[in-house]
Amino acid sequence: MKKIVLMVVAMFTMTMSFAENENNSTLNSAEAYDMTVNMRKLAVTLDLTTDQMEAVQDIHTAFCNEMMLAANAHSTERKALVDQAVKKDVRYMGFILDEKQYKKYLTLLNTTLTNRGLK
């Protein structure tokens, strides 16, 4: 009887640890698509004016929304949605930022995407 109870407890424990790891991997992949940033730090890094900061914040909010849509999409569509969101973000930022700011923004964006495994 003890062996059966211990076996049931062991099976329950292994099942729970497996399910926990699966949930963590899903959570981590969804977190990779969360592109929210501290806008004040971004403004200081890019040396943005007040008008630029407002426009960049609006563009970045739209970009974050599109990335979260990509995170919730089917895995076959995810890469296309990420590419589309990045292209749109880069195009809009090109209108707002000057050449020096734009180059720095591209460097930050590419680094972030690479570090999160999205590129």
Side-chain angles (χ1 to χ4, degrees):
M1 185 71 175
K2 283 184 180 181
K3 288 182 182 181
I4 293 174
V5 170
L6 289 175
M7 187 183 309
V8 169
V9 169
M11 293 289 283
F12 180 71
T13 304
M14 287 189 289
T15 304
M16 291 302 292
S17 65
F18 174 75
E20 180 181 348
N21 290 338
E22 190 169 308
N23 287 339
N24 286 341
S25 67
T26 304
L27 179 64
N28 290 338
S29 68
E31 286 177 353
Y33 293 88
D34 182 17
M35 302 299 284
T36 57
V37 296
N38 185 334
M39 289 307 292
R40 289 179 192 254
K41 288 185 180 181
L42 182 64
V44 169
T45 302
L46 297 178
D47 194 27
L48 298 177
T49 64
T50 305
D51 292 336
Q52 284 178 320
M53 188 173 172
E54 290 175 14
V56 166
Q57 189 168 6
D58 291 340
I59 293 168
H60 192 71
T61 300
F63 176 63
C64 289
N65 291 337
E66 290 178 13
M67 290 297 286
M68 290 313 292
L69 286 174
N72 295 325
H74 193 269
S75 60
T76 57
E77 301 170 347
R78 206 172 276 160
K79 181 163 176 40
L81 289 173
V82 169
D83 290 343
Q84 182 181 1
V86 170
K87 285 179 185 177
K88 189 185 291 186
D89 182 59
V90 168
R91 186 176 63 230
Y92 291 157
M93 288 296 187
F95 293 128
I96 303 301
L97 305 175
D98 65 27
E99 187 177 337
K100 183 179 175 184
Q101 292 169 328
Y102 184 69
K103 285 181 182 180
K104 193 178 280 189
Y105 180 77
L106 286 179
T107 303
L108 291 171
L109 182 63
N110 284 330
T111 303
T112 302
L113 293 173
T114 302
N115 288 342
R116 294 182 182 199
L118 300 175
K119 187 171 184 184

